[in-house]
Amino acid sequence: MYDPHSLHAEEFIDHEEVQETLAWAAEHARDAGLIDGILAKAALCKGLSHREASVLLACELPDRVEALYRLANRIKHEFYGNRIVMFAPLYLSNYCVNSCVYCPYHARNKHIIRKKLTQEEVAREVIALQDMGHKRLALEAGEHPAMNPISYILDCIRTIYGIRHRNGAIRRVNVNIAATTVEEYRMLREAGIGTYILFQETYHKQSYEKLHPAGPKHDYAWHTEAMDRAMQGGIDDVGLGVLFGLEGYRYEFAALLMHAEHLEAVHGVGPHTISVPRIKKADDIDPDVFDNGIDDETFARICACIRVAVPYTGMIISTRESQAVREKVLPLGVSQISGASRTSVGGYCEPEPEDENSAQFDVSDRRTLDEVVRWLMDQGHIPSFCTACYREGRTGDRFMSLCKSRQILNCCHPNALLTLKEYLQDYASPATRAVGLDMIAKELDKIPSDKVRARTIRCLSAIEAGQRDFRF
């Protein structure tokens, strides 16, 4: 029985409810009146139910699809403006005891090079990332109780926060590791992490168990209920995601929104972020063997539907996707992207030799961070390296109350300009610096408060004089 307030995975992600939702959406895919009503409700920026959003995903009326795209763009700007938050993944270890059939880290893979960073190697990787200009990392590691225990992850977090190199500093560490216990989530919270991220991979229980034939991750309920344990452990910002291509995308979409509704119903706080990865080629993984792949247009529709259904959430797209695809979906709701990512263990300090492969997936967008930053500005986006909300305590329900009332822009817009200025001063090429300074000058005029604008100008001048880390 479907119950968003339940703490049991098969009740807040109820298979029958998903199936009924998909049938209802298919039945109304050409119902212009209903679709117009759903779009009108979405325009109020209060979000949509999983059933309503599924109708928009199934819509077969081209003019309504275009209306959806325009609305997604407007809602994104109302909540997040023209900012795009930058981050990079840092792969700590690819040792893993699971047997996930879509991931090259699986325990049966005997030819992948297994690596685990020492704390000295972590420090070198962090310095390399700082020298690019990154301020925010997402830690990644395979699930291996002996090789990657929570103590190792905590040591890595302490190392990362302890590195100061020139003007560089990693100001926020997000963590994407396997589902764990309330106590270990509490340890992560006390270590000062930002967002805890965990991809569901697929919400279809039968498919989930086939795709995870052995290892701790085989337990569907343990994995699906992880966000509840994380919140019980004091982590109030969590990030959801599915790996599109493993199961039918309409099923995953509906279930993903049901998970968001569950978090709202139980904890009063929905997902801080939603990621939309698609399965990609990796060491011994051929994505073509999975018959649920989605084309770029469907991918764009999913992004737009997530944005209008969950307007408050940050939406993440990684370097799994090409420059062309990222350019297509940025206007449809994406608010965070990775730049200059390496998915191999230890790939930032030194390029991995051609005869080795420790990467989790192939990267499609291989541009440098400077190239990505300039490209974003050419597209009219402000590259933001801001981490202020985490450090000012604007997390969980405090962040959501500001975001849902659309007041967060009063902080985020000037903070984006300040962190962009830091990047331009410390790391940018001359061409990127020229474009960025011009953007900052124009964006200052868009700050509505005279007081905030004046303070922003003072901080920008102080940054130019050598000071760092101002924030609203």
Side-chain angles (χ1 to χ4, degrees), residues 374-396:
R374 188 163 68 250
W375 162 72
L376 285 172
M377 293 189 296
D378 288 342
Q379 298 289 318
H381 305 289
I382 306 172
S384 174
F385 296 86
C386 179
T387 60
C389 282
Y390 294 115
R391 293 184 295 152
E392 290 293 324
R394 294 190 293 264
T395 60

Side-chain angles (χ1 to χ4, degrees), residues 125-143:
E125 289 287 283
V126 169
I127 289 171
L129 285 156
Q130 289 176 355
D131 281 346
M132 292 183 202
H134 278 295
K135 306 294 184 189
R136 178 191 302 232
L137 300 184
L139 298 190
E140 315 272 353
E143 182 170 12

